[in-house]
């Protein structure tokens, strides 16, 4: 399944870059969030790959849910897909956008891939192992580096959303003792924690399960964790989900290695 996720992400990333190079128009969904041809093409590619290689596992994909198509979730496993996380960054010409695919088992993200095609880097995590993949043309992996999270220091490096920060997030950052604050788009924030180049990612504001599941899977495989404000690990595939509202996450804080000192 890891190989399937990797291939699907690379193919989707290739399509996204073709659309970006050709230029694309933006339209808006019912929740006023932007969507482009790149989102739609990437999702179609991923769904085709998953249908071929992972039959029987329901796939919940962002654009399909937005169009009113949510599969019946039976059993303990499902796959969450965000074909283009960071659409605002994509539209603005930034490089901070990703393809996200995650396997959820019993509410836990156990396998995930995050691919940033404009940066030519991907992160594949599961079974307590994370590989950082270096991608070269024509969208093939040329190097695999094993990475892991680091203990959270007393003065952590904090990553925050480039497009969706809130006063609550800013308030947490002010009390965190941060030595540095980096503004980054998409699920790449989780990946910086997973590779040990940052320590905390607070998010007090709207996110959806497909936004976070792949990055969370990578982070957990690297030794980190994502907790809600009550201190419980973020869970996915909650009972009774049928539309966009049901797939919303609670506020959360993602951490590097938990054994270290945490700011309060």
């Amino acid at each position: 399944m890891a190989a399937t996720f990797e291939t699907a992400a690379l193919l989707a990333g290739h399509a996204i870059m073709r659309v970006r190079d050709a230029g694309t128009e933006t339209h808006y969904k019912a929740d006023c969030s932007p969507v482009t041809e790149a989102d739609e093409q990437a999702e179609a590619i991923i769904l085709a790959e998953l249908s071929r290689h992972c039959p029987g596992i329901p796939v919940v994909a962002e654009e399909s849910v937005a169009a009113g198509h949510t599969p019946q979730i039976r059993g303990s496993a499902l796959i969450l897909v965000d074909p283009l996380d960071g659409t605002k960054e994509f539209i603005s010409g930034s490089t901070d956008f990703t393809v996200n695919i995650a396997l959820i088992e019993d509410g836990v993200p156990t396998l995930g891939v995050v691919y940033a095609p404009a940066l030519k880097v991907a992160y594949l995590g599961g079974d307590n192992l994370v590989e950082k993949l270096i991608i070269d043309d024509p969208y093939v992996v040329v190097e695999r580096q094993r990475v892991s999270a680091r203990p959270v220091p007393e003065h952590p490096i904090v990553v925050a959303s480039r497009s969706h920060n809130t006063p609550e997030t800013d308030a947490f950052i002010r009390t965190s003792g941060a030595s540095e604050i980096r503004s980054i788009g998409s699920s790449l924030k989780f990946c910086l924690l997973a590779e040990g180049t940052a320590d905390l990612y607070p998010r007090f504001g709207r996110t959806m399960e497909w936004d976070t599941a792949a990055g969370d899977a990578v982070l957990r495989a690297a030794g980190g964790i994502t907790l809600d404000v009550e201190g419980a690990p973020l869970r996915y595939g909650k009972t009774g989900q049928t539309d966009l509202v049901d797939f919303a996450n609670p506020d959360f804080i993602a951490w590097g290695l938990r054994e270290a000192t945490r700011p309060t």
Side-chain angles (χ1 to χ4, degrees):
M1 187 173 288
T4 295
F5 282 18
E6 180 181 315
T7 298
L10 291 176
L11 291 172
H14 190 185
I16 288 168
M17 295 304 291
R18 286 201 309 266
V19 171
R20 190 177 81 153
D21 291 344
T24 184
E25 294 184 0
T26 303
H27 53 279
Y28 291 85
K29 295 180 282 191
D31 64 352
C32 298
S33 61
V35 63
T36 70
E37 182 184 355
D39 299 75
E40 295 162 349
Q41 286 191 20
E43 182 162 302
I45 289 167
I46 294 167
L47 292 179
E49 287 295 306
L50 295 178
S51 176
R52 186 176 304 116
H53 298 289
C54 305
I57 302 178
V59 180
V60 176
E62 178 180 12
E63 304 312 329
S64 296
V65 174
H69 306 303
T70 305
Q72 184 70 36
I73 300 174
R74 300 184 178 90
S76 62
L78 72 150
I79 297 171
L80 285 166
V81 173
D82 188 343
L84 177 51
D85 183 32
T87 301
K88 288 184 178 180
E89 281 74 21
F90 174 81
I91 294 168
S92 70
S94 171
T95 57
D96 295 352
F97 54 86
T98 59
V99 178
N100 299 340
I101 308 172
L103 173 67
I104 308 301
E105 298 179 287
D106 295 319
V108 178
T110 57
L111 174 67
V113 63
V114 174
Y115 175 36
L119 298 175
K120 297 187 177 181
V121 64
Y123 298 82
L124 180 65
D127 292 328
N128 298 314
L129 172 68
V130 176
E131 291 182 324
K132 181 178 181 178
L133 313 180
I134 308 303
I135 317 298
D136 201 356
D137 294 329
Y139 298 92
V140 296
V141 178
V142 295
E143 185 178 351
R144 296 176 184 267
Q145 306 167 355
R146 185 167 181 174
V147 298
S148 61
R150 69 182 185 183
V152 179
E154 182 179 358
H155 298 289
I157 295 175
V158 177
V159 289
S161 174
R162 174 168 288 154
S163 303
H164 303 282
N165 250 13
T166 64
E168 294 82 3
T169 302
D170 292 337
F172 175 88
I173 292 173
R174 284 195 299 270
T175 64
S176 69
S179 63
E180 182 181 347
I181 303 167
R182 300 177 183 173
S183 295
I184 299 165
S186 76
S187 55
L188 284 169
K189 294 180 283 293
F190 288 101
C191 299
L192 296 187
L193 272 61
E195 70 178 7
T197 57
D199 305 296
L200 289 178
Y201 165 32
R203 185 63 178 263
F204 297 84
R206 183 177 183 269
T207 61
M208 310 304 287
E209 290 190 11
W210 45 74
D211 294 325
T212 61
D216 195 359
V218 169
L219 177 59
R220 296 190 199 203
I225 192 67
T226 303
L227 305 175
D228 65 23
V229 293
E230 302 299 324
L234 214 59
R235 291 189 63 79
Y236 298 85
K238 297 180 285 291
T239 302
Q241 294 166 307
T242 58
D243 58 27
L244 282 170
V245 174
D246 297 329
F247 286 96
N249 287 319
D251 295 341
F252 65 82
I253 304 166
W255 302 81
L257 283 177
R258 300 180 65 192
E259 293 79 7
T261 302
R262 297 181 181 178
T264 57

